[in-house]
Amino acid sequence: MPLLSVLPKLRAMTTALITHPDCLNHLTPEGHPERVDRLHAIAAALQDFNLLRLEAPMGEDAHILRTHPQTHIDRVKSAGVGPLDADTHMSEGSLTAAYRGVGAVVKAVDMVMGGEVSNTFCAIRPPGHHAERETPMGFCLFGNVTIAAKHALEVYGLSRVAIMDFDVHHGNGTQDLVWEDARILFASTHQMPLYPGSGAASETGAHGNVLNCPLGPETDGASFRKVMKDQVLPAIDAFAPELVLISAGFDAHMNDPLSNLNWVEDDFACATHQLCDLADKHCEGRVVSTLEGGYDLAGLAASCSAHVKVLMERGK
Ligand SMILES: [Zn+2]
């Protein structure tokens, strides 16, 4: 019998999971929903997945400066320990955690653009989509997904990058950071009314490059699927992105304590499939997904694993 026939079939790993233990050192006050256990829950849910597992390098100021001014970096660096606002807290490990997050998304773009993997999921915290140009807020310090988009545009010479944000909260920070940049399409589904209050359909960006799809409280995954089909997917398709980024918040899950949407795991899986369809059509399947919210640990773990499972199925 030929030797090869008895070897286990080798399957190339097509999805990278990028994270770092330093992201566990961003500590928030007792009772804060954005807590260390979120990453433990995700790690447990993904532990048996056949992922290429990588530690995030440290991000660099040069990466952040494409998105935030030096004054913002200086403010975060010099904040010390304590609250930046009512929601956003710094502990001794927060700055390093945030720089690991930046490093993770930059590494993810490098790997996907370099063809090392088809897609990536960055399990990082603090999250990023509420951080505005000069304002850390909503648990977020740096606009991770926008930093990833700008890295792809500047380093790889891309012309069009799409960001889809299905976190239950509007990504006001991402919207602020991409508002003037016609090279970036930002599409968001989110509950309205809800924190932070922005994200009306009338907010469309300086170049028509922002698409906001607010959803009413207590709506379920069917509303999300309809708005994806009718608005988000056609907009991304028409934009013909060269890279698809996902702000993957899982707090629209029906059990999430911070919101009132009633999505289930399969809704996240469906959206991931649809975004992979467009990535296949326009950019050889290149998808970089990064964690935003999700505060019910069981709902987060199940939804995140459904999302990553689809990324793995769709990678090639
Ligand atoms: Zn959220």
Side-chain angles (χ1 to χ4, degrees):
M1 181 181 286
L3 180 62
L4 280 173
S5 68
V6 296
L7 291 173
K9 190 175 179 194
L10 293 176
R11 184 175 177 277
M13 286 179 286
T14 57
T15 299
L17 171 66
I18 306 179
T19 185
H20 197 284
D22 285 347
C23 292
L24 303 171
N25 295 330
H26 167 52
L27 306 180
T28 49
E30 185 74 28
H32 196 289
E34 203 295 283
R35 57 206 191 275
V36 171
D37 283 347
R38 298 179 63 236
L39 284 191
H40 288 312
I42 289 173
L46 303 183
Q47 65 179 347
D48 294 329
F49 285 25
N50 182 32
L51 293 156
L52 178 59
R53 293 163 194 272
L54 297 169
E55 287 202 341
M58 286 290 281
E60 299 169 13
D61 287 355
H63 302 140
I64 302 170
L65 282 168
R66 297 188 185 113
T67 296
H68 299 278
Q70 186 67 50
T71 49
H72 179 84
I73 296 175
D74 292 344
R75 179 182 171 191
V76 173
K77 276 186 169 173
S78 62
V81 172
L84 290 167
D85 66 17
D87 303 308
T88 315
H89 297 262
M90 297 286 290
S91 68
E92 282 188 12
S94 297
L95 190 64
T96 302
Y99 273 80
R100 291 291 182 194
V102 170
V105 296
V106 167
K107 174 80 175 169
V109 168
D110 287 342
M111 293 191 73
V112 168
M113 292 308 303
E116 296 174 62
V117 290
S118 292
N119 53 48
T120 63
F121 179 69
C122 300
I124 56 173
R125 55 184 293 280
H129 75 150
H130 292 305
E132 297 187 343
R133 193 172 148 72
E134 299 189 66
T135 312
M137 61 180 278
F139 316 160
C140 304
L141 302 179
F142 301 127
N144 301 321
V145 79
T146 310
I147 290 168
K150 301 266 186 182
H151 183 71
L153 292 164
E154 301 296 335
V155 174
Y156 294 94
L158 301 190
S159 305
R160 296 175 311 282
V161 175
I163 301 172
M164 168 58 198
D165 183 333
F166 54 63
D167 188 281
V168 80
H169 302 96
H170 179 240
N172 61 295
T174 306
Q175 173 168 299
D176 179 52
L177 297 171
V178 311
W179 188 266
E180 303 277 351
D181 195 337
R183 301 172 300 172
I184 304 176
L185 173 68
F186 174 58
S188 174
T189 56
H190 46 273
Q191 181 183 324
M192 182 173 264
L194 190 67
Y195 180 91
S198 53
S202 58
E203 299 164 24
T204 56
H207 310 279
N209 57 311
V210 171
L211 173 65
N212 282 306
C213 303
L215 300 165
E218 304 302 340
T219 52
D220 61 14
S223 304
F224 172 49
R225 291 178 192 226
K226 178 164 172 45
V227 96
M228 285 292 285
K229 179 168 172 281
D230 292 349
Q231 297 185 57
V232 173
L233 300 172
I236 295 175
D237 193 16
F239 188 69
E242 297 161 295
L243 174 67
V244 173
L245 305 180
I246 303 176
S247 260
F250 300 99
D251 40 7
H253 189 276
M254 60 186 300
N255 294 333
D256 198 275
L258 296 195
S259 65
N260 310 100
L261 294 189
N262 295 313
W263 302 4
V264 295
E265 293 88 284
D266 195 48
D267 296 315
F268 296 102
C270 177
T272 308
H273 267 302
Q274 292 170 325
L275 293 168
C276 286
D277 286 342
L278 291 177
D280 281 349
K281 179 176 176 183
H282 294 291
C283 49
E284 297 168 7
R286 293 191 288 265
V287 174
V288 169
S289 175
T290 187
L291 181 66
E292 300 286 359
Y295 305 101
D296 174 71
L297 294 183
L300 170 66
S303 303
C304 186
S305 59
H307 173 64
V308 174
K309 197 171 178 185
V310 173
L311 291 179
M312 293 173 63
E313 285 171 15
R314 298 300 300 267
K316 42 179 189 291

